[in-house]
Each structure stands twice: as structure tokens, then as C-alpha cells.
Amino acid sequence: PVAPAAPAGGGGRELVGKWCKGGSFSANAGGGSSSMTCFELKADGSYSYEHEGSMSAQAPGMWGGTSAQAADAGRWSLEGNRLTAQSRSGTVNRYQLEKRNHPKNRDPMLCLDGDCYTTYWQKAPW
């Protein structure tokens, strides 16, 4: 998908968009894990966050698994290289922000306290 147009003015408008990080692991003997975390920074200053994860383990005669989901929404702001997220629940989180390009395909990434998320929508490299 193509990113929506950024608003006029400053305040981190280049950050507007959806950002995701996913991962998976498969064990040789069976089982594994997967997770997907995405957040969307919107031009009106709001954000949404979603996380889904699952894990399973297999052994002869045994199987186990678990899954989890989480969601949040609120307001975001940028001051210098500090991104602040204020949840509707009242929790405030502050992150050190760094813009990077993915080392393989040059897709833009946002790194929050060193944890990097790649653009979901097509965007030019930083």
C-alpha cells in the first residue's frame, strides 16, 4: 500500500504512517513462536498499537501452546529525538527515536530505544 499524504507543517510529519516488526522461530523437534507488533502514527497526533504473539512446543506424547494479544491507542508527540506516547489509560512512555534505513532493502525504519520497526507503507528511504 502507499502511505497517506503527510500534513503540512512540522512536528514529525515524516513519521506519520504504519510501522511494524515481526519475527518467527521454528524448532527442529517441533513447535516455535511468532509475533507481530505494529503501531500507526497519525497526522492528527493520535496513535494505535497492536501486538499478537504465539508460542508452541512439541515433544513425543506432549504438546503445549500459548497466545497473547494487546492493543493501545492515545496521542503522540515529538520533541527533538524524543517520541512521547500518552495512552488513553494515562500511561506515558518516552522513547529515544532514531531514523534508519533497512540494511538489505533500504526501507525506512523507526527505532525506539533501539527496537526497530519497518515501514508498512511504501516510503522513500530517509
Side-chain angles (χ1 to χ4, degrees):
V2 176
R13 68 186 172 137
E14 74 278 11
L15 307 181
V16 169
K18 187 172 181 177
W19 305 89
C20 297
K21 178 178 84 166
S24 63
F25 167 80
S26 294
N28 289 338
S33 67
S34 68
S35 68
M36 177 63 76
T37 303
C38 294
F39 63 89
E40 185 174 357
L41 301 177
K42 299 176 185 174
D44 66 0
S46 65
Y47 76 85
S48 61
Y49 166 90
E50 295 176 348
H51 170 80
E52 292 185 17
S54 64
M55 222 182 223
S56 66
Q58 296 173 329
M62 294 186 289
W63 181 89
T66 185
S67 65
Q69 294 180 327
D72 188 28
R75 308 286 302 163
W76 71 278
S77 61
L78 182 69
E79 187 174 327
N81 61 350
R82 301 292 292 175
L83 181 78
T84 300
Q86 182 165 2
S87 172
R88 289 183 190 156
S89 70
T91 304
V92 176
N93 291 299
R94 291 179 180 83
Y95 303 95
Q96 183 77 26
L97 173 72
E98 183 181 356
K99 295 187 280 186
R100 294 184 193 168
N101 291 315
H102 193 281
K104 291 184 180 178
N105 58 21
R106 304 224 354 106
D107 282 342
M109 299 189 309
L110 290 184
C111 301
L112 306 177
D113 291 342
D115 202 13
C116 297
Y117 299 80
T118 305
T119 183
Y120 179 82
W121 294 314
Q122 183 178 353
K123 286 179 162 251
W126 298 119

